[in-house]
């Protein structure tokens, strides 16, 4: 391992342009990640034709840098405007925006940035050291394990939302229900499409989260009688102190580990990693009711996980030739253009390229710290503009971004409907986090449950007794009971305080 | 009191809605090959559970409403439940913004991106209080032009051009 690693370092030192490419890629990625609707996938896809002029290593470094930058970029608009720039950052808005509303936008951005860098570096280290064994572990995950993993994330709904437990469950089930719209993934039959062809592919996630967060936020702001407090517009991005980082070390470590493992699972990706990691942070917290009100762990958990998942998702891509996420699927296209076929042989025959990518991604995470701070600061200047201009501009950006995804007005209609739903859910105090968790994890849970049952000949016992599945399902059950108990305890405490 | 009624109405709506969606799932076409995990398997599970939780919510809302009615009859309640002039104004503002967003969605397709965006930005900026009218008027065309430039020239992403004469106008820009 050391020899190809040394070769990769020598290559990068001998080609200073690679450094410039990574700098450009990180800035490009942060920009694309921070604009709602554009996302990192668009950023990577737009650069693929330009990689022709570079050699394969430089091309891959360029795409990898964009992936790293865009994953963090989404959190900037999520924190400042409750408008996730990319799906991976949807979870960050849940605590980042409330913290920004309290006048601590700079602190929220600093936590997101440092957690992103820590998670990203952790994911890259895992990628460098354990790519082959991690790829084998990922292959041992079958449908029952995927189902158990999704259930583990979904059961966190019981702990989210300090208000009504029933409202939290209803919102979560509503998310799961919305995820059933479209063609059945197994039989191919239509479900709840009501003859509408646009619904055949289901409710797309990007329009849904943009509507649920950004549009609902604009309506919410219009419905508020008071103006934006001065404190919200004063943003001085500050990295957390060592003591603050130390206070969130367990969350950072757990989320980075969860992110690397989930990222390595083919077809799951950084968004799921962020939500499951957030769920775990809620589950293990001594104050689960504080999540959603703007706490550091609520920002650090999804940000560490989604950036760690970037490194994780490169594992199946490079070691097995299977893309771990939508962005790595686009990158796979970029690799094949250069005649590189990812897979086990790539690690042996082209180790210099592989290790250059590892080093480049590590560098990109460090550079993110350098460029993320000014990027967030400049972005925050928008907060000083009056909301009479910013609010309508956000609506226009959301509409344009969503339309540009597939040039499909139906996606915009979905966004509008989700915006209205999000606004009403908030007004009626249904936790939006539960709805989004249901929407993200629903399709994974359904497909893997049904596929798994078919594999084990419909034996529920055989399905649940596989070792990894059993451990994950038991953990889900324990956390569900604990979540209900926690809610019950808080309800009793509130009643005692009132009485 | 009004809030309790709204809670009950929403819970009731979700309860009836989940039962209706469960019944729809029951009518999905069946495929003998997947009889044990058919098309209706997951939706029935989800909406069945949702009917249970929302049923619980309906019961808890009714109990809450009854307690409030008791307090009302005993003369303990102070809230008259009448909306203030300010809340009526805010509600009208939200409705106006919602109507503008819907109009923008349709205008987007028929008038084309540039004209619809320009009109939307002008009109929507007046729903939120901000005194500098000149800034409002200048911001709309500037922002529209920047977006048109970025999406069509830099990113080469398509924007709607509208129909008829509006299509021709859009062609002048992109």
């Amino acid at each position: 391992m050391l020899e190809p690693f040394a070769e990769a370092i020598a290559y990068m030192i001998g080609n200073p342009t690679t450094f410039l490419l990574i700098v450009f890629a990180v800035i490009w990625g942060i920009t694309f990640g921070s604009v709602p609707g554009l996302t990192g996938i668009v950023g990577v896809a737009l650069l693929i034709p330009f990689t022709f002029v570079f050699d394969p290593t430089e091309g891959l470094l360029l795409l990898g840098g964009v992936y790293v930058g865009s994953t963090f970029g989404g959190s900037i608009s999520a924190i400042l405007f409750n408008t996730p720039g990319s799906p991976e950052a949807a979870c960050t808005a849940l605590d980042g925006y409330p913290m920004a509303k309290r006048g601590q936008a700079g602190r929220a951005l600093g936590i997101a940035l440092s957690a992103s860098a820590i998670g990203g570096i952790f994911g890259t280290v895992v990628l460098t050291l354990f790519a082959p064994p991690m790829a084998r572990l990922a292959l041992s995950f079958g449908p029952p394990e995927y189902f158990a993993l999704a259930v583990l994330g979904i059961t966190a709904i019981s702990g989210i939302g300090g208000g009504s437990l029933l409202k939290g469950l209803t919102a979560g089930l509503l998310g799961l229900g919305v995820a059933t719209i479209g063609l059945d993934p197994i039989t191919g039959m239509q479900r709840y499409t009501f003859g509408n062809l646009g619904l055949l592919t289901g409710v797309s996630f990007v329009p849904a989260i943009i509507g649920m967060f950004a549009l609902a936020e604009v309506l919410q702001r219009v419905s508020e009688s008071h103006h934006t407090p001065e404190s919200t517009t004063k943003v001085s991005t500050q990295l957390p102190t060592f003591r603050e980082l130390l206070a969130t070390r367990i969350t950072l470590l757990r989320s980075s580990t969860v992110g690397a493992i989930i990222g390595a699972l083919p077809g799951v990706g950084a968004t799921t990693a962020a939500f499951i990691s957030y769920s775990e942070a809620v589950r293990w917290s001594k104050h689960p009711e504080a999540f959603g009100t703007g706490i550091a762990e609520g920002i650090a958990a999804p940000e560490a996980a989604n950036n760690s998942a970037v490194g994780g998702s490169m594992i199946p891509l490079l070691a097995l030739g299977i893309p771990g996420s939508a962005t790595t699927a686009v990158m796979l296209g970029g690799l094949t253009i250069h005649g590189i076929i990812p897979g086990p042989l790539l690690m042996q025959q082209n180790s210099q390229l592989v290790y250059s990518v590892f080093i480049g991604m590590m560098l990109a995470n460090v550079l993110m710290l350098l460029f993320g701070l000014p990027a967030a600061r400049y972005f925050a200047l928008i907060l000083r503009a009056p909301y009479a201009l910013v609010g309508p501009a956000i609506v226009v950006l959301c509409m344009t971004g969503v339309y540009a995804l597939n040039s499909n007005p139906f996606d915009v209609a979905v966004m509008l409907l989700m915006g209205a739903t999000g606004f009403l859910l908030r007004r009626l105090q249904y936790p939006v986090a539960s709805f989004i968790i249901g929407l993200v994890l629903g399709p994974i849970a359904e497909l893997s449950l049904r596929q798994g049952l078919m594999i084990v000949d419909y034996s529920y016992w055989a399905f649940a007794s596989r070792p990894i599945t059993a451990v994950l399902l038991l953990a889900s059950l324990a956390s569900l009971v604990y979540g209900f108990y926690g809610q019950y305890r808080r309800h009793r405490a509130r009643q005692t305080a009132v009485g | 009191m009004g809030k309790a009624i709204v809670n009950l109405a929403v819970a009731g709506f979700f309860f009836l809605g989940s039962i209706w969606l469960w019944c729809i799932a029951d009518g999905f076409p069946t495929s003998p090959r997947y009889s044990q995990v058919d098309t209706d398997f997951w939706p029935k599970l989800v909406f069945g559970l949702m009917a249970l939780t929302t049923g619980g919510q309906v019961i808890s809302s009714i109990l809450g409403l009854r307690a409030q009615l008791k307090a009302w009859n005993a003369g303990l309640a102070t809230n008259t439940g009448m909306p203030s002039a300010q809340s009526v104004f805010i509600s009208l503002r939200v409705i106006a913004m919602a109507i503008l967003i819907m109009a923008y969605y349709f205008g987007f397709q028929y008038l084309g991106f540039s004209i619809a965006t320009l009109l939307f930005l002008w009109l929507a900026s007046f729903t939120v209080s901000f005194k500098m009218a000149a800034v409002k008027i200048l911001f709309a065309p500037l922002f529209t032009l920047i977006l048109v430039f970025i999406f069509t020239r830099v990113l080469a992403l398509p924007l709607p051009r509208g129909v008829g004469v509006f299509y021709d106008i859009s062609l002048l820009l992109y």
Side-chain angles (χ1 to χ4, degrees):
Chain A
M1 187 185 125
L2 284 176
E3 197 182 330
F5 198 75
E7 276 176 27
I9 289 177
Y11 168 82
M12 294 192 77
I13 293 171
N15 294 276
T17 48
T18 53
F19 183 75
L20 290 175
L21 278 175
I22 297 168
V23 170
F24 168 78
V26 170
I27 296 171
W28 180 269
I30 291 175
T31 311
F32 270 79
S34 58
V35 179
L38 286 187
T39 73
I41 303 170
V42 180
V44 169
L46 282 173
L47 281 185
I48 283 181
F50 295 96
T51 61
F52 276 122
V53 294
F54 304 115
D55 69 42
T57 311
E58 288 173 334
L60 199 55
L61 282 173
L62 190 70
L63 303 181
V66 176
Y67 192 12
V68 169
S70 67
T71 309
F72 161 70
S75 66
I76 299 177
S77 47
I79 288 170
L80 295 177
F81 307 106
N82 203 17
T83 306
S86 54
E88 295 93 326
C91 206
T92 311
L94 298 174
D95 272 273
Y97 184 66
M99 188 182 271
K101 266 181 107 175
R102 283 207 310 264
Q104 298 177 334
R107 184 173 166 237
L109 287 166
I111 294 167
L113 185 56
S114 48
S116 296
I118 291 169
I121 291 168
F122 182 92
T124 316
V125 170
V126 169
L127 171 70
T128 311
L129 298 177
F130 307 112
M134 284 281 284
R136 277 196 294 276
L137 173 77
L139 283 181
S140 70
F141 261 65
E145 286 78 16
Y146 273 90
F147 172 72
L149 194 68
V151 169
L152 191 67
I154 291 169
T155 50
I157 289 171
S158 63
I160 291 173
S164 162
L165 170 66
L166 287 174
K167 282 186 174 179
L169 286 173
T170 304
L173 288 164
L174 193 63
L176 288 172
V178 170
T180 62
I181 296 171
L183 287 179
D184 182 315
I186 289 178
T187 63
M189 303 285 186
Q190 291 185 35
R191 296 190 304 198
Y192 306 118
T193 56
F194 303 105
N196 191 323
L197 293 178
L199 284 174
L200 284 180
T201 51
V203 174
S204 308
F205 186 58
V206 174
I209 59 153
I210 289 181
M212 191 56 79
F213 285 94
L215 206 60
E217 177 60 26
V218 172
L219 290 173
Q220 178 68 30
R221 287 288 291 270
V222 171
S223 73
E224 286 169 2
S225 54
H226 52 84
H227 296 291
T228 312
E230 183 70 9
S231 56
T232 315
T233 61
K234 281 182 182 167
V235 180
S236 164
T237 314
Q238 56 198 38
L239 289 175
T241 60
F242 185 68
R243 185 182 285 186
E244 277 180 307
L245 274 181
L246 217 58
T248 54
R249 66 189 184 280
I250 304 289
T251 304
L252 286 170
L253 184 66
R254 185 179 49 235
S255 303
S256 301
T257 311
V258 167
I261 293 172
I262 292 176
L265 300 175
V268 184
T271 310
T272 312
F275 277 98
I276 290 185
S277 161
Y278 186 83
S279 305
E280 289 311 304
V282 173
R283 200 190 315 275
W284 292 97
S285 171
K286 285 177 185 161
H287 309 286
E289 72 282 1
F291 278 79
T293 60
I295 60 168
E297 285 93 335
I299 302 169
E303 278 304 304
N306 63 25
N307 281 273
S308 180
V310 170
S313 66
M314 297 293 279
I315 292 172
L317 176 73
L318 296 173
L320 303 169
I322 305 166
S325 65
T327 315
T328 47
V330 178
M331 287 169 77
L332 180 65
L335 282 172
T336 46
I337 284 171
H338 286 278
I340 298 167
I341 309 297
L345 286 178
L346 179 73
M347 306 285 284
Q348 292 165 11
Q349 293 174 351
N350 218 336
S351 53
Q352 179 253 310
L353 177 138
V354 173
Y355 281 95
S356 297
V357 172
F358 294 168
I359 296 167
M361 286 184 74
M362 184 82 79
L363 210 58
N365 278 294
V366 178
L367 287 171
M368 197 167 66
L369 274 176
L370 283 179
F371 294 105
L373 276 175
R377 202 172 291 144
Y378 286 121
F379 216 90
L381 288 177
I382 302 170
L383 283 175
R384 293 189 187 173
Y387 205 74
L389 306 180
V390 176
I394 288 176
V395 175
V396 170
L397 264 181
C398 293
M399 288 256 207
T400 319
V402 169
Y403 178 82
L405 285 174
N406 301 309
S407 303
N408 187 358
F410 188 77
D411 283 344
V412 183
V414 168
M415 185 198 72
L416 294 178
L417 192 66
M418 283 294 158
T421 310
F423 177 66
L424 289 175
L425 286 180
R426 280 200 221 184
R427 300 293 288 186
L428 300 164
Q429 292 167 329
Y430 284 82
V432 174
S434 302
F435 178 87
I436 297 287
I437 287 175
L439 192 64
V440 174
L441 300 178
I444 301 170
E446 181 195 358
L447 183 64
S448 47
L449 173 64
R450 291 168 69 192
Q451 279 180 338
L453 283 173
M454 282 192 286
I455 289 169
V456 295
D457 212 13
Y458 306 108
S459 161
Y460 284 89
W461 173 248
F463 181 91
S465 60
R466 289 161 67 115
I468 300 174
T469 314
V471 169
L472 290 173
L473 285 178
L474 281 174
S476 309
L477 186 69
S479 87
L480 196 66
V481 172
Y482 183 72
F484 283 150
Y485 175 67
Q487 292 264 13
Y488 170 75
R489 221 174 38 184
R490 287 196 293 278
H491 177 70
R492 287 294 299 265
R494 270 200 302 273
Q495 277 195 331
T496 315
V498 171
Chain B
M1 180 89 125
K3 199 178 166 188
I5 293 171
V6 170
N7 269 333
L8 177 61
V10 172
F13 172 76
F14 280 144
F15 177 64
L16 294 175
S18 51
I19 291 174
W20 179 61
L21 290 167
W22 193 95
C23 293
I24 288 181
D26 199 40
F28 285 154
T30 52
S31 44
R33 192 176 166 193
Y34 304 108
S35 58
Q36 294 193 58
V37 284
D38 216 336
T39 311
D40 61 345
F41 175 75
W42 183 257
K44 274 183 170 176
L45 192 68
V46 170
F47 291 114
L49 281 171
M50 194 165 156
L52 280 178
T53 56
T54 50
Q57 245 182 292
V58 168
I59 292 167
S60 102
S61 298
I62 289 172
L63 291 176
L65 195 64
R66 221 172 63 168
Q68 283 196 9
L69 271 173
K70 270 185 187 170
W72 183 269
N73 290 333
L76 295 172
T78 52
N79 187 358
T80 59
M82 291 295 284
S84 67
Q86 196 193 22
S87 66
V88 170
F89 171 71
I90 289 170
S91 301
L92 286 175
R93 202 162 68 178
V94 175
I95 292 168
M97 183 56 113
I99 290 171
L100 276 176
I101 292 172
M102 285 306 295
Y104 179 44
Y105 169 65
F106 290 109
F108 200 68
Q109 297 162 67
Y110 293 103
L111 305 179
F113 175 78
S114 44
I115 297 173
T117 304
L118 191 69
L119 291 174
F120 172 75
L121 286 174
W122 268 334
L123 294 171
S125 65
F126 287 95
T127 58
V128 183
S129 59
F130 176 57
K131 284 173 187 155
M132 297 169 77
V135 177
K136 286 181 186 178
I137 290 165
L138 282 174
F139 173 75
L142 199 69
F143 188 70
T144 307
L145 281 175
I146 291 171
L147 276 187
V148 167
F149 177 75
I150 291 174
F151 274 85
T152 60
R153 308 284 165 184
V154 181
L155 304 174
L157 291 171
L159 288 176
R161 290 196 169 106
V163 291
V165 67
F166 300 109
Y167 182 88
D168 298 329
I169 296 171
S170 297
L171 277 182
L172 295 173
L173 277 169
Y174 54 93

